[in-house]
Amino acid sequence: MAAIVLGLMLLSLAIWLFLLLFWGQFWRVDQQLETRKEVTQTALPTVCVVIPARNEADVIPISLRSLLLQDYGGNFQIFLVDDQSTDGTANFAQGVVYAVNKPQQLHIVSSQDLPPGWTGKLWAMEQGVQAAIKTFQETSLQLPDYFLLTDADIEHDPSNLRRLITKAEQDNLDLVSVMVRLRCQSFWEQLLIPAFVFFFQKLYPFRWVNNPKKAIAAAAGGCILIRPEALNRIGGLQIIRQALIDDCSLAQAVKSSQGRIWLGLSAVTHSLRPYDSLKTIWDMVARSAYTQLNYSPFLLIGSVLGMILVYLLPPLGIILGLILGNWAITLTAFTVYLLMTFAYFPIIRFYKCIPWFAFSLPIIALFYTLMTVDSAIRHWQGRGGAWKGRVYP
């Protein structure tokens, strides 16, 4: 038994060494929008901001106000798509624009019924994009230089739009996306939210996403700046109309068409969505985790075994090594545990969590493994992909 345990621990050690040394330095947090040096432009691009909003009355006053008060000097218009809200989202939005005295910048689009083959968010964004194009054409203006696709629960830093445009213009990018700082206040948020970003970075190393020579592509749906030419080149949003993980699907389509993309973190643009209980975080992950595995039972089994080997076995190895009196197992397991903690610490520091949370990755991995299994169970029961009162097959 000792030989088997030691062999598994050595395998776990080899995996962590490979991840740390050869997997795109995913654990670093150096890909940040705000670290970019800006330049002043004389002719600023025009931007259409598209916001899909379904029952967002509690957050739309903050998120919309943050957009209206951007320090961007160019022309930008906001198209808010009211996706059949029942809580007065559109009325709250109207109140905000009059409060800041910028009614001419907001266009409210009433969403039509969801057609077959579309997810609700993508259908809302499609209507917002088409409304923006129609508005520009009716005013005899050129099409906008960029679309900013953003969620209704994002509070944008006043410089966010300017920084996004600067990044896109300086590096000649077709798509720029930032993973905004998720809310991290409650115990469950501090325990599980940084790990959500950590696992996302491990799945899509940002340095590889930003490397044109690498095929891997990803984006964060809360904040995506994209050129209309790139959107047209891939055939528009209808190409990904059924995607539940729409952000990564969009980024993959753009990069596959020889487009240049960039994904990074933002330290100052925030998500307003609270995840103050285990259930809210659980539902958020379970909604799309099995989708990420392409609904494959074999990938599910492989993922569960991989999570056990990479994250759960090291602390168990320490305990088994002590019980068996085998110092080779104990030291190997302890080394792996330290490497794991080292990799996790940068995102803990980025989110300003208590440092000892860096040592909790094994128990966090257990939670996420159970969430992924539950995601598969929900899919098999016909409850997968539920969001905002809609359930997608």
Side-chain angles (χ1 to χ4, degrees):
M1 178 180 175
I4 295 175
V5 174
L6 180 59
L8 290 173
M9 289 314 313
L10 289 172
L11 178 58
S12 184
L13 175 62
I15 291 173
W16 272 108
L17 288 173
F18 173 80
L19 289 173
L20 287 171
L21 297 175
F22 304 108
W23 196 248
Q25 298 186 48
F26 75 95
W27 45 274
R28 300 186 65 180
V29 293
D30 57 340
Q31 302 294 296
Q32 293 186 40
L33 183 67
E34 289 79 25
T35 60
R36 190 73 181 180
K37 183 179 179 181
E38 297 181 45
V39 296
T40 303
Q41 293 177 267
T42 53
L44 293 171
T46 57
V47 183
C48 280
V49 183
V50 177
I51 312 172
R54 180 175 171 86
N55 293 330
E56 301 285 9
D58 55 337
V59 294
I60 203 66
I62 300 174
S63 61
L64 184 55
R65 181 182 176 86
S66 72
L67 281 167
L68 291 166
L69 297 180
Q70 289 292 297
D71 63 10
Y72 182 63
N75 176 30
F76 70 98
Q77 301 290 314
I78 301 173
F79 291 79
L80 186 143
V81 184
D82 183 18
D83 187 9
Q84 301 181 349
S85 300
T86 58
D87 63 353
T89 292
N91 294 332
F92 280 95
Q94 290 280 17
V96 173
V97 294
Y98 283 105
V100 299
N101 196 27
K102 292 186 177 182
Q104 72 283 355
Q105 278 190 262
L106 178 67
H107 309 264
I108 295 182
V109 180
S110 296
S111 179
Q112 302 300 310
D113 291 339
L114 182 65
W118 284 82
T119 63
K121 179 182 176 181
L122 282 169
W123 175 236
M125 289 196 298
E126 169 70 8
Q127 294 174 90
V129 168
Q130 295 304 321
I133 293 173
K134 182 179 178 181
T135 299
F136 268 64
Q137 289 174 340
E138 288 177 347
T139 54
S140 300
L141 295 174
Q142 296 290 330
L143 290 179
D145 297 299
Y146 292 96
F147 289 112
L148 174 61
L149 310 176
T150 183
D151 288 348
D153 59 356
I154 304 297
E155 182 178 10
H156 297 260
D157 180 78
S159 66
N160 192 46
L161 181 55
R162 172 167 50 86
R163 292 178 185 275
L164 289 167
I165 293 294
T166 300
K167 178 67 176 175
E169 292 287 295
Q170 283 185 347
D171 293 352
N172 192 27
L173 298 167
D174 293 290
L175 183 150
V176 179
S177 178
V178 289
M179 175 169 281
V180 303
R181 182 185 287 270
L182 303 177
R183 211 186 81 143
C184 195
Q185 299 176 13
S186 70
F187 168 79
W188 288 111
E189 287 171 334
Q190 292 195 41
L191 180 66
L192 298 175
I193 291 300
F196 178 83
V197 181
F198 177 81
F199 291 138
F200 185 85
Q201 288 179 293
K202 186 157 76 76
L203 195 61
Y204 304 103
F206 286 7
R207 288 192 173 204
W208 286 0
V209 169
N210 301 338
N211 186 345
K213 297 180 180 179
K214 295 284 187 178
I216 191 168
C223 187
I224 297 176
L225 185 77
I226 185 170
R227 295 181 189 264
E229 296 87 352
L231 199 56
N232 291 333
R233 189 170 64 242
I234 65 172
L237 291 175
Q238 63 176 342
I239 295 298
I240 58 168
R241 61 187 180 274
Q242 291 182 309
L244 288 180
I245 308 178
D246 51 89
D247 42 15
C248 294
S249 298
L250 178 61
Q252 186 64 63
V254 172
K255 196 169 189 180
S256 297
S257 66
Q258 305 305 310
R260 293 174 57 88
I261 70 174
W262 184 89
L263 170 64
L265 298 168
S266 175
V268 294
T269 292
H270 299 260
S271 171
L272 300 169
R273 186 74 61 196
Y275 295 103
D276 49 6
S277 69
L278 175 60
K279 183 181 185 305
T280 55
I281 300 176
W282 192 291
D283 289 342
M284 183 263 292
V285 175
R287 183 172 68 93
S288 60
Y290 196 45
T291 303
Q292 193 70 62
L293 298 176
N294 294 320
Y295 309 109
S296 169
F298 300 104
L299 288 178
L300 175 65
I301 295 172
S303 296
V304 171
L305 293 177
M307 293 290 276
I308 292 173
L309 176 64
V310 175
Y311 295 103
L312 302 182
L313 192 59
L316 292 176
I318 295 174
I319 297 172
L320 286 174
L322 292 174
I323 293 175
L324 297 173
N326 190 315
W327 289 105
I329 294 176
T330 303
L331 290 176
T332 304
F334 187 70
T335 301
V336 177
Y337 191 26
L338 287 181
L339 290 176
M340 181 193 317
T341 304
F342 169 80
Y344 190 48
F345 183 73
I347 197 66
I348 286 292
R349 184 172 55 184
F350 178 81
Y351 271 92
K352 300 179 181 178
C353 294
I354 300 172
W356 67 263
F357 272 112
F359 292 92
S360 61
L361 197 52
I363 187 65
I364 295 170
L366 175 60
F367 275 114
Y368 275 91
T369 302
L370 295 175
M371 294 175 196
T372 303
V373 173
D374 185 46
S375 178
I377 294 173
R378 294 185 188 195
H379 173 76
W380 297 330
Q381 293 177 340
R383 299 184 294 117
W387 181 248
K388 295 283 185 179
R390 293 181 175 131
V391 178
Y392 302 102

